[in-house]
Amino acid sequence: MKVEAITLREIQMPLVHFFETSFGRTTERRILLVTVHTDGPEGWGECVAGEDPFYSEESVETAWYATERYLAPALLGKNVERGADVPALIGKIRGHRMAKCAVENAVWDAEAQLRQVPLWKLLGGTRTELACGVSIGIQNSHEQLLEKIATELAAGYRRIKVKCKPGWDVEIFEKIRARWPEIVLSCDANSAYTLDQIDHLKKFDQFNLLMIEQPLWHDDFYFHAQLQKQLKSAICLDEVIHGRRDAKAAAELGACRIINVKVGRVGGFSEAIAVHNVAQAAGIPVWCGGMLESGIGRSHNIALSTLANFSLPGDVSASKRYWKEDIIEPEVKISPDGFIPLPQSPGRGFKIKNDLIEKLTVKKQVLRA
Ligand code: OSB
Ligand code: MG
């Protein structure tokens, strides 16, 4: 496929409900979309960088800069046959993984269309059923959180993850467990604690949590390993895992028992598959994390989640939890018992709503060879 042009665009989409983590509240998403125009199909990628550099150092602006200045020029005018060929072309550029992911995944997206195979098969997926969980942000009140959990359980979701931070943890776990003693429950601290709060964190053990996600610093393995030794609950690492070496180091150190794989955080499908493989060899189950994606990123997360070691329910949930109208059709839906059916059509399996995307676009740039 000859890469003839690459379009960068920013779309803005209000969330149907605000999403709050230990690092802040989001009410509207600004999303960078990348389109790779080839002499054959057109591939789409979504950049999961946030509005602010609070989850990682990347933001919409840094991703735009990296793509315009370095990533797009590395591909334009070249023959790129496979998504898997992209990392070698952009490997010289350090960091900017979320930006790299959007570009690489757009090429995989085009490749799957060219080869007329479902993207999930191209990635090597074998799972036929995807169990879905939800990530529920910090709410204005405990009552509001319990209500949200009730709604998601009624919708069929198979694992509830609640965001937590000091002051929004043990008390809410108590209330959740009092009402639902048996549900599969986990929590995500997004680095809200320090190791000197270990006695407090040990209290989490009484709630039979499937995992505690990234409790300590965003860039730490070492102290997570110390914490894991003293906790009964499994630690799951998110923020700190940037690639296969990190997954291997975390496994060898005993820093976690579970890994959250986010394709944007590790820099694209190639590295996500490598992380999956390293974790599998180390006996560590993985699941697919979400980053409040629009339908394009969502469809790519679905494809990735079909790899064999994605054995825990992911954060890949229905479009309508986030958007009044998603930018793909059909929207992502889940079955009443909490599974996403796999698309069988070639490519990502969801069509792009071009008119809607144009309407949501606030900034656009077309780069040519
Ligand atoms: O830590 O998983 C996280 C959203 C933004 C930043 C970090 C995280 C999240 C989520 C969103 O939990 C989950 C979703 O997209 O459904
Ligand atoms: Mg997380």
Side-chain angles (χ1 to χ4, degrees):
M1 300 183 287
K2 181 154 189 257
V3 179
E4 293 176 338
I6 293 180
T7 301
L8 307 188
R9 71 169 77 225
E10 179 184 327
I11 60 169
Q12 292 188 357
M13 293 173 86
L15 288 164
V16 293
H17 183 80
F18 66 81
F19 190 82
E20 185 171 325
T21 65
S22 61
F23 57 77
R25 182 178 283 199
T26 308
T27 53
E28 184 178 51
R29 290 283 290 116
R30 295 174 51 210
I31 300 174
L32 169 59
L33 297 179
V34 174
T35 320
V36 173
H37 309 269
T38 72
D39 51 356
E42 174 182 290
W44 286 76
E46 174 168 344
C47 176
V48 298
E51 294 70 32
D52 303 294
F54 298 161
Y55 168 81
S56 81
E57 52 276 79
E58 289 186 78
S59 68
V60 178
E61 277 81 12
T62 68
W64 189 291
Y65 151 81
T67 312
E68 179 189 353
R69 272 282 279 284
Y70 297 102
L71 305 176
L75 267 65
L76 284 167
K78 298 221 171 85
N79 266 310
V80 184
E81 290 313 318
R82 297 156 6 108
D85 295 340
V86 174
L89 298 171
I90 58 179
K92 183 173 163 183
I93 302 141
R94 287 199 180 158
H96 298 286
R97 293 179 190 85
M98 293 174 178
K100 286 175 174 168
C101 172
V103 171
E104 184 190 323
N105 289 9
V107 175
W108 282 94
D109 189 277
E111 183 189 350
Q113 296 171 60
L114 182 74
R115 295 180 193 267
Q116 287 290 298
V117 291
L119 177 60
W120 61 269
K121 280 196 184 160
L122 187 64
L123 295 174
T126 51
R127 306 187 78 86
T128 52
E129 281 199 317
L130 301 185
C132 304
V134 283
S135 172
I136 304 182
I138 294 165
Q139 306 296 321
N140 288 329
S141 66
H142 292 183
E143 293 64 44
Q144 202 177 11
L145 177 68
L146 296 175
E147 227 172 83
K148 284 226 158 269
I149 295 173
T151 305
E152 305 299 7
L153 290 172
Y157 288 103
R158 308 183 71 87
R159 185 223 63 207
I160 299 290
K161 151 174 151 186
V162 292
K163 292 291 184 175
C164 66
K165 64 176 183 182
W168 186 272
D169 50 24
V170 172
E171 244 186 281
I172 61 154
F173 303 151
E174 270 165 5
K175 288 187 183 173
I176 297 168
R177 278 298 184 219
R179 188 152 159 200
W180 296 286
E182 306 290 340
I183 58 167
V184 181
L185 180 67
S186 68
C187 70
D188 185 359
N190 291 109
S191 312
Y193 302 90
T194 55
L195 194 59
D196 55 16
Q197 290 166 303
I198 188 159
D199 290 336
H200 180 66
L201 289 165
K202 279 184 184 167
K203 293 184 195 152
F204 290 22
D205 276 341
Q206 65 191 292
F207 301 105
N208 185 27
L209 301 173
L210 177 64
M211 67 189 100
I212 303 172
E213 199 176 331
Q214 197 80 32
L216 307 177
W217 302 273
H218 73 94
D219 55 357
D220 170 77
F221 299 116
Y222 181 79
F223 296 106
H224 278 96
Q226 293 193 359
L227 179 62
Q228 181 65 92
K229 283 187 190 73
Q230 300 195 56
L231 286 184
K232 279 195 236 116
S233 315
I235 289 177
C236 169
L237 291 177
D238 173 352
E239 279 86 337
V240 70
I241 304 292
H242 297 118
R244 67 192 87 180
R245 262 191 307 108
D246 291 338
K248 193 148 198 289
E252 286 183 12
L253 274 171
C256 65
R257 292 190 207 131
I258 296 173
I259 291 176
N260 167 342
V261 179
K262 286 182 183 166
V263 63
R265 195 192 62 227
V266 303
F269 281 136
S270 299
E271 197 62 29
I273 294 167
V275 169
H276 163 276
N277 294 345
V278 163
Q280 189 170 35
I284 293 182
V286 304
W287 54 280
C288 183
M291 290 289 285
L292 312 176
E293 287 91 346
S294 78
I296 293 170
R298 210 162 281 280
S299 68
H300 288 176
N301 285 343
I302 290 171
L304 181 65
S305 305
T306 61
L307 271 68
N309 192 36
F310 280 84
S311 54
L312 295 169
D315 273 350
V316 187
S317 52
S319 299
K320 69 169 187 202
R321 293 191 64 241
Y322 306 86
W323 318 115
K324 207 164 145 238
E325 187 182 0
D326 203 345
I327 60 173
I328 52 163
E329 57 191 349
E331 300 202 328
V332 175
K333 294 199 181 85
I334 68 151
S335 66
D337 57 346
F339 290 92
I340 292 183
L342 277 187
Q344 298 300 328
S345 48
R348 83 186 79 78
F350 298 84
K351 290 202 183 75
I352 301 287
K353 286 188 184 171
N354 283 296
D355 293 348
L356 178 60
I357 291 177
E358 281 304 329
K359 262 195 253 167
L360 299 170
T361 299
V362 295
K363 187 177 166 194
K364 180 172 162 179
Q365 189 176 3
V366 184
L367 303 162
R368 289 180 205 284

